[in-house]
Amino acid sequence: MEKIIVKGGNELKGDVKISSAKNAVLPIIAASILGNELITINNAPLLEDVSVICDVLNELGSNVSINKNDLSITIDSKEVKPVDANDELIRKMRASFLIMGPMLSRHGCFKLSLPGGCNIGSRPIDLHLKGFKALGADIEIGHGYVEAKAKRLIGDRIYLDFPSVGATENILMASVLAKGTTIIENAAEEPEIADLANFLNSMGAKIDGAGSGKITVDGVDELKGTNYTPIYDRIEAGTFMIAAAISRSKIKIRGANEEHLRPIIEKLKECGIIVEYLEDENSIIVDGRCNVKAVDIKTLPYPGFPTDMQSQMMALLTLATGNSMITETVFENRFMHVSELCRMGAKIKVDGRTAFIEGVNKLTGCDVKATDLRAGATLILAGLVADKYTEIRDIYHIDRGYVCIEEKLRALGADIERV
Ligand code: UD1
């Protein structure tokens, strides 16, 4: 079993290049099912989750090839068929459910294993299904599967009770080839949704308003091929911003969009960290050579503070001067990292959806376990400043979402290795 070992105390220096966003690339690959012509995705992050969705498409009859040299993925979905998808593969990753919208739209029927819960919460799919039903699909659930059927999807007005990222993406993909106009209200506004819409528009879709709470889709009859470069990963960039802040270092993060990072930038500034955006370089300089002040945070759908940065921010606040409070409103069980941080000397108490963090002077390295993707990155961040060695187990979680995290940190001067 692989683990990551970090020896704390090194100052970080230099610059780091951010990869494309995993959460943009996964729906983009799923959306490729909608086209009959060749699609090329440039600068793809070659991560475990990305290879899972590529394997899923290959199982369905698409021809997907990953070119590790130029980081491109080419997808030809001419031959895609509504065959039973391999359950084991589908259940590896919840985001596999994103193939439902495009498969239903393209083939008029599709059956898929129901996604289960996961470490951070039960994560239902009711909003995805509500959208498909509004577009005219019949939905049947039984024996662990969901089956959707519709001769041709027909546009309608869909109001989401909560701005779910996955539901917005799935409904958006289903509606692109539907007859007439679809309006998604209370849609998720995350930058990855706008990126998916830009990708689909580059294939000939007619989507307006993606990135806002109201998305309008005028259905088209077919989509063509495209060559597309997805947005930078704002969560990876945010994680490196905290790496600088927690290790009291100054680094440059190349491949950053100021607007997408706004909620993180503003919170770090409130903590006293100096953040400078270099517009002509798409880069951010983070200078953490200061005392970190305690702050309160509430996670919210974009443009609120991202739940995917909650645990990393908590690692930083364990060492802040004063008491901080973090309220998690997006997922019901996203404090699994708290007990691991406490093993490292943090003082955190959890009451329901709120964590109370009392700043301490130092963290101490020990054996810890990555309980999910972002929690794993959090333990690396804590390890960067902890006394002596932090050994992180179950690092497969980290590999799902961070491209070469230890290489990137080592290049910045961290003492980190995978064994
Ligand atoms: C996506 C991201 C994930 C991020 C999350 C919130 C991808 C691949 N994953 O996950 O990294 O943490 O957005 O920013 O992009 N919900 C329902 N019913 C539904 C769907 C969701 O109740 O039908 C609830 C969920 O249980 C959760 C909340 O809505 O409590 C947010 O989930 P959602 O926005 O759908 O997240 P994902 O798309 O799964």
Side-chain angles (χ1 to χ4, degrees):
M1 199 64 111
E2 284 188 326
K3 55 186 175 181
I4 286 179
I5 302 180
V6 194
K7 181 166 181 268
N10 286 13
E11 191 181 339
L12 306 184
K13 281 195 179 91
D15 54 350
V16 60
K17 177 94 181 82
I18 299 303
S19 302
S20 290
K22 165 184 87 78
N23 287 354
V25 169
L26 294 177
I28 284 174
I29 293 174
S32 306
I33 290 172
L34 292 164
N36 272 321
E37 295 178 9
L38 192 70
I39 285 162
T40 303
I41 300 163
N42 306 306
N43 194 29
L46 304 185
L47 294 162
E48 185 53 30
D49 276 9
V50 173
S51 58
V52 169
I53 196 124
C54 289
D55 289 348
V56 170
L57 260 71
N58 275 325
E59 288 257 323
L60 297 174
S62 297
N63 187 353
V64 183
S65 32
I66 301 178
N67 187 335
K68 291 190 175 158
N69 294 325
D70 70 357
L71 302 184
S72 69
I73 298 180
T74 53
I75 306 170
D76 178 351
S77 291
K78 254 198 299 297
E79 303 294 333
V80 83
K81 298 271 177 330
V83 292
D84 286 347
N86 174 335
D87 280 3
E88 209 178 307
L89 200 51
I90 295 290
R91 292 176 68 87
K92 267 191 177 174
M93 179 179 72
R94 287 189 47 86
S96 301
F97 196 68
L98 290 173
I99 63 171
M100 191 52 149
M103 285 301 285
L104 170 65
S105 169
R106 183 154 169 183
H107 290 286
C109 69
F110 195 54
K111 187 175 166 189
L112 200 55
S113 171
L114 271 170
C118 68
N119 289 359
I120 61 174
S122 62
R123 297 177 90 171
I125 50 160
D126 54 321
L127 299 171
H128 302 235
L129 302 184
K130 177 181 171 179
F132 299 149
K133 277 185 199 156
L135 296 175
D138 287 326
I139 307 284
E140 265 184 51
I141 295 181
H143 305 285
Y145 289 89
V146 53
E147 185 166 16
K149 285 186 191 158
K151 277 212 177 80
R152 170 142 194 216
L153 295 171
I154 298 175
D156 202 346
R157 210 181 185 98
I158 299 156
Y159 176 84
L160 295 179
D161 306 328
F162 181 89
S164 152
V165 172
T168 303
E169 291 168 344
N170 233 339
I171 298 165
L172 178 62
M173 293 187 279
S175 65
V176 161
L177 297 174
K179 189 163 181 249
T181 302
T182 301
I183 297 175
I184 310 172
E185 288 172 315
N186 200 25
E189 299 180 24
E190 270 69 3
E192 292 76 18
I193 309 263
D195 205 39
L196 171 64
N198 288 339
F199 167 76
L200 285 164
N201 283 342
S202 76
M203 293 170 76
K206 289 194 176 149
I207 304 166
D208 191 41
S212 78
K214 183 176 173 187
I215 304 177
T216 305
V217 186
D218 284 321
V220 295
D221 289 332
E222 59 181 6
L223 297 176
K224 53 185 173 51
T226 188
N227 187 311
Y228 193 78
T229 305
I231 52 171
Y232 295 117
D233 195 318
R234 63 195 165 100
I235 305 301
E236 189 194 11
T239 303
F240 277 98
M241 289 169 81
I242 294 193
I246 202 168
S247 63
R248 303 205 168 179
S249 307
K250 182 178 176 184
I251 64 169
K252 187 196 265 191
I253 295 160
R254 291 190 289 117
N257 180 310
E258 186 184 28
E259 196 191 321
H260 299 170
L261 287 164
R262 177 70 60 209
I264 303 164
I265 292 175
E266 292 307 317
K267 262 306 151 195
L268 285 177
K269 282 185 174 169
E270 214 182 305
C271 288
I273 311 295
I274 298 167
V275 183
E276 189 192 348
Y277 183 65
L278 310 175
E279 199 175 345
D280 49 339
E281 290 183 32
N282 285 333
S283 297
I284 283 191
I285 294 178
V286 181
D287 188 350
R289 296 171 298 178
C290 58
N291 276 333
V292 176
K293 288 183 239 157
V295 294
D296 291 342
I297 296 176
K298 190 186 254 190
T299 65
L300 286 167
Y302 188 87
F305 191 88
T307 174
D308 284 352
M309 283 299 301
Q310 179 254 106
S311 60
Q312 301 91 314
M313 200 65 197
M314 188 183 288
L316 177 65
L317 295 177
T318 61
L319 293 164
T321 308
N323 298 330
S324 306
M325 192 167 83
I326 298 185
T327 306
E328 171 60 60
T329 77
V330 180
F331 289 108
E332 72 266 30
N333 187 26
R334 209 170 192 179
F335 283 139
M336 307 268 283
H337 45 279
V338 167
S339 49
E340 303 301 305
L341 286 172
C342 288
R343 279 172 58 75
M344 297 178 73
K347 280 198 178 163
I348 309 168
K349 282 194 181 131
V350 174
D351 184 7
R353 289 190 157 204
T354 302
F356 300 89
I357 305 137
E358 186 185 331
V360 294
N361 288 331
K362 69 168 189 178
L363 297 176
T364 52
C366 63
D367 260 357
V368 282
K369 196 168 97 174
T371 48
D372 69 58
L373 162 59
R374 306 302 168 189
T378 297
L379 297 173
I380 294 183
L381 294 173
L384 291 176
V385 278
D387 186 34
K388 303 209 171 115
Y389 291 93
T390 301
E391 295 198 9
I392 304 154
R393 283 176 289 129
D394 290 359
I395 58 172
Y396 57 89
H397 287 296
I398 303 173
D399 294 333
R400 289 184 35 222
Y402 288 93
V403 178
C404 306
I405 190 164
E406 71 270 22
E407 277 97 327
K408 289 185 182 185
L409 281 168
R410 208 164 30 240
L412 290 169
D415 188 338
I416 178 169
E417 61 172 341
R418 179 183 292 245
V419 293

